[in-house]
Amino acid sequence: MVYFIQQTLVFAIPLMIVALAGVFAERSGIINIALEGIMIFGAFIGVLIVRVLLQVGIGDDLGQLILIIAIIITMILGAVFSLLLAFASINLKADQTIGGTALNLLAPALVLFLVLIISQQTTLDIGGKTAAELFMLFQDDFGIDGAKKLGVLGNILFNKVYPTTFYVILIFVVLSVVLYNTKFGLRLRSCGEHPQAANSLGINVNKMRYIGVLISGALASFGGFIYAISVAGCSATGDVAGTGFLALAVMIFGNWKPLNIALGALLFGALKCISVGYPYIDFNGDGIFALKDLGISPHIYRVLPYVITLVVLAFTSKKSRAPKAEGQPFDKGKR
């Protein structure tokens, strides 16, 4: 059960932050289906930065510092990459779905091209190190023995935990508060609901939409880097296994609301955990509830997250309420 919960968090955390990335873009009025492409780009940039920092001689004992530097650079360059979508959607008033699709096609091609140049192969790793050696937080790092003092809860929270888990939870809470409890958040949401009314009150709609897309790009890129170090074993391959599209499904399932998104991410993370880790999951510990012994084909486990995604969206899409003006180019003269 501890393994199941820990692995569920591993898959849920990138889904959570990338789904929030989609919320910021769409609440401002821009449809961002390029989350998959931005994740791929962020995974490559993050792994590349870590690789370069290790090669220039920064000590292996500074893993947490390396991680923080890589996160900051990844988020900045992810925001820059998302400017392609913002410029096409806001300035050129291009179809936002087509613009996002273009980025989804561009990112893996660009990443694979650069990976081939850098490493002469189709996978870029950090140079022989593993995520556990560099980034994982263990019990003693917190100054307490979590497993002994807190039991199962301590084992889940403090044993072999990625620091990005805590970073994401903190960022998720702060940005949720910003979006729903600040003047900036109100202005951003108004641009996605009724941009003409927002403009009449002196709000620069185009500026707010640029900000929404930039935040979205930074968060999605961060999510891609998290995927690279926690799921892909500190490597970038030009693929994130559809996690960006699953994040879109989580966003829609959560009705563009942070709390619902967090719960949806945990649900989809659990399904993803089952699809990948079913050989090791034994809920009872005595083999009675071992998934591998239930006689179910491994292919069923692998397609489970995507089938459940379709079923959930089919039943919840009618109740979903997207921002009214999302996908609509802003026209000052429109009433």
Side-chain angles (χ1 to χ4, degrees):
M1 181 60 73
V2 170
Y3 169 83
F4 175 72
I5 296 174
Q6 286 184 327
Q7 292 304 304
T8 293
L9 287 175
V10 166
F11 290 106
I13 287 299
L15 282 175
M16 218 165 84
I17 197 68
V18 177
L20 186 66
V23 169
F24 268 87
E26 300 203 5
R27 283 294 184 187
S28 73
I30 302 295
I31 297 175
N32 189 1
I33 66 166
L35 296 176
E36 178 90 357
I38 299 173
M39 281 190 72
I40 291 171
F41 181 77
F44 165 73
I45 293 296
V47 170
L48 178 62
I49 296 300
V50 173
R51 180 187 178 101
V52 170
L53 290 175
L54 290 175
Q55 288 177 346
V56 298
I58 294 182
D60 296 345
D61 57 335
L62 298 177
Q64 301 308 313
L65 177 62
I66 292 173
L67 177 62
I68 292 172
I69 294 172
I71 288 172
I72 292 172
I73 297 176
T74 298
M75 293 181 74
I76 292 172
L77 294 183
V80 172
F81 186 67
S82 69
L83 282 175
L84 292 171
L85 175 63
F87 180 76
S89 303
I90 298 170
N91 294 82
L92 302 182
K93 302 187 186 302
D95 186 286
Q96 296 170 16
T97 302
I98 295 176
T101 302
L103 260 65
N104 284 334
L105 295 174
L106 172 64
L110 176 63
V111 165
L112 284 175
F113 174 71
L114 295 175
V115 167
L116 283 170
I117 292 176
I118 295 169
S119 65
Q120 309 303 316
Q121 56 186 3
T122 58
T123 300
L124 181 71
D125 58 39
I126 62 174
K129 297 292 181 180
T130 66
E133 291 174 306
L134 283 172
F135 303 137
M136 273 191 178
L137 293 178
F138 295 90
Q139 294 164 350
D140 291 340
D141 288 345
F142 290 92
I144 63 173
D145 189 340
K148 289 182 179 179
K149 292 187 176 181
L150 299 177
V152 174
L153 180 61
N155 208 16
I156 293 171
L157 293 178
F158 301 122
N159 186 29
K160 298 181 181 179
V161 177
Y162 293 99
T164 49
T165 298
F166 301 103
Y167 298 162
V168 166
I169 292 173
L170 177 62
I171 292 172
F172 191 90
V173 171
V174 170
L175 290 183
S176 299
V177 171
V178 168
L179 188 60
Y180 283 95
N181 296 278
T182 66
K183 184 185 295 185
F184 166 79
L186 179 60
R187 289 180 174 181
L188 186 77
R189 288 183 287 119
S190 69
C191 293
E193 293 293 339
H194 203 307
Q196 282 74 27
N199 180 69
S200 69
L201 295 175
I203 299 173
N204 188 328
V205 174
N206 287 341
K207 177 182 176 181
M208 295 303 295
R209 288 187 169 184
Y210 258 103
I211 293 173
V213 175
L214 286 173
I215 294 174
S216 179
L219 294 179
S221 186
F222 180 29
F225 182 38
I226 294 172
Y227 180 91
I229 64 175
S230 61
V231 179
C234 273
S235 64
T237 61
D239 180 38
V240 291
T243 304
F245 295 115
L246 276 177
L248 279 173
V250 169
M251 179 187 69
I252 297 170
F253 171 73
N255 204 18
W256 291 265
K257 296 179 179 179
L259 179 59
N260 294 344
I261 285 172
L263 296 175
L266 288 173
L267 169 63
F268 284 89
L271 294 172
K272 191 72 174 176
C273 173
I274 291 173
S275 72
V276 175
Y278 68 90
Y280 313 104
I281 296 175
D282 181 359
F283 290 109
N284 201 27
D286 56 8
I288 297 177
F289 291 100
L291 296 183
K292 66 179 180 179
D293 297 330
L294 295 181
I296 299 175
S297 169
H299 301 294
I300 300 297
Y301 288 121
R302 294 188 185 114
V303 302
L304 185 64
Y306 308 100
V307 172
I308 297 297
T309 298
L310 292 174
V311 172
V312 168
L313 289 179
F315 282 98
T316 62
S317 59
K318 291 183 179 179
K319 298 180 181 179
S320 297
R321 183 190 174 279
K324 291 181 180 179
E326 78 164 357
Q328 301 174 13
F330 173 58
D331 181 1
K332 288 185 179 181
K334 186 178 177 181
R335 291 291 182 268

